[in-house]
Amino acid sequence: MYILRYLVGTRDYALVFDGNSDEGLSAYCDSSYGDDRTELDRMRRSTQGYFFSLANAAIKWHSKTQTLVATSSTMAEYMALSDCARDCAWFKILFNELGKLIDHVPLYGDSRGAIFNSQNPVTQKGIKHIEIRYHYIQEQIELGTIKLYYVPTKDNVADMFTKNLGPIDFLRHRSELGLEFYPLIRED
């Protein structure tokens, strides 16, 4: 019932792209740490989420439970950044094929440790236990496909895809997705 009430209450919202903003493609990524307790409380998997914005509106969003159990919050964030890097590479290829060359995709995350591990492949000792597929992000950084930037947790819009937020933070982040209120005249 909660979901149905939410859908009825938000039916007058629309994604609005601001073509005059000169805002290109960007991505925000976040991960919780061990919050999913659906596995009988023995395997607490983390939730990751990310979204892509173009012209100040969301064009793709994603939220899922990670397949591996993370041993630290840095590991959970690192795995989330790597998964997001795959979509960054895909978007760069897509835009290049459409004739809109993109130098790199800015990727924002709120974990300094995960960003450091992504940008410094020499420091493998602390993260060598992570599956090799998650080191994909290091390759994409070397190729120049993405550039990582730190964003404080309170300003990371992807936070809303990883956990329940209070109403103030939820409404603030929702507005940053490019959603605007457009009431339609209905004949009931």
Side-chain angles (χ1 to χ4, degrees):
M1 289 305 291
Y2 175 78
I3 293 172
L4 293 175
R5 281 194 301 266
Y6 177 78
L7 291 173
V8 168
T10 58
R11 67 181 173 190
D12 291 329
Y13 282 86
L15 278 174
V16 178
F17 296 91
D18 183 5
N20 295 325
S21 69
D22 200 31
E23 289 292 323
L25 182 68
S26 61
Y28 286 80
C29 182
D30 193 25
S31 176
S32 64
Y33 175 57
D35 65 333
D36 184 18
R37 297 179 185 216
T38 59
E39 301 277 336
L40 301 174
D41 269 351
R42 59 185 176 84
M43 295 208 273
R44 294 179 55 179
R45 300 182 194 273
S46 302
T47 303
Q48 70 182 31
Y50 54 86
F51 92 100
F52 287 82
S53 176
L54 179 66
N56 289 329
I59 59 170
K60 180 182 180 171
W61 50 92
H62 179 84
S63 180
K64 75 171 193 167
T65 302
Q66 292 180 337
T67 56
L68 297 177
V69 176
T71 58
S72 68
S73 60
T74 299
M75 180 180 171
E77 296 272 1
Y78 183 80
M79 291 189 306
L81 284 172
S82 184
D83 283 348
C84 187
R86 284 174 181 71
D87 281 350
C88 289
W90 183 85
F91 272 116
K92 184 175 179 189
I93 291 168
L94 174 68
F95 277 80
N96 289 347
E97 286 181 2
L98 293 174
K100 175 70 173 150
L101 300 179
I102 295 177
D103 183 43
H104 68 277
V105 178
L107 174 54
Y108 298 91
D110 60 6
S111 171
R112 291 183 194 272
I115 291 171
F116 178 81
N117 287 334
S118 299
Q119 294 174 332
N120 297 290
V122 178
T123 61
Q124 290 291 327
K125 184 178 180 185
I127 61 171
K128 68 180 180 180
H129 63 283
I130 297 175
E131 283 191 19
I132 292 174
R133 68 184 171 135
Y134 290 111
H135 299 306
Y136 176 81
I137 189 169
Q138 294 174 356
E139 180 181 318
Q140 293 306 307
I141 290 171
E142 289 175 14
L143 292 173
T145 303
I146 61 172
K147 284 192 181 177
L148 286 176
Y149 298 98
Y150 173 77
V151 62
T153 300
K154 67 178 181 61
D155 296 328
N156 190 350
V157 183
D159 198 32
M160 71 184 303
F161 298 110
T162 62
K163 61 187 77 66
N164 292 328
L165 298 176
I168 294 172
D169 287 336
F170 176 79
L171 293 174
R172 182 170 52 90
H173 287 323
R174 184 179 71 181
S175 68
E176 293 175 28
L177 294 176
L179 287 172
E180 292 185 18
F181 185 69
Y182 282 98
L184 300 174
I185 300 173
R186 292 186 177 79
E187 294 180 24
D188 292 330

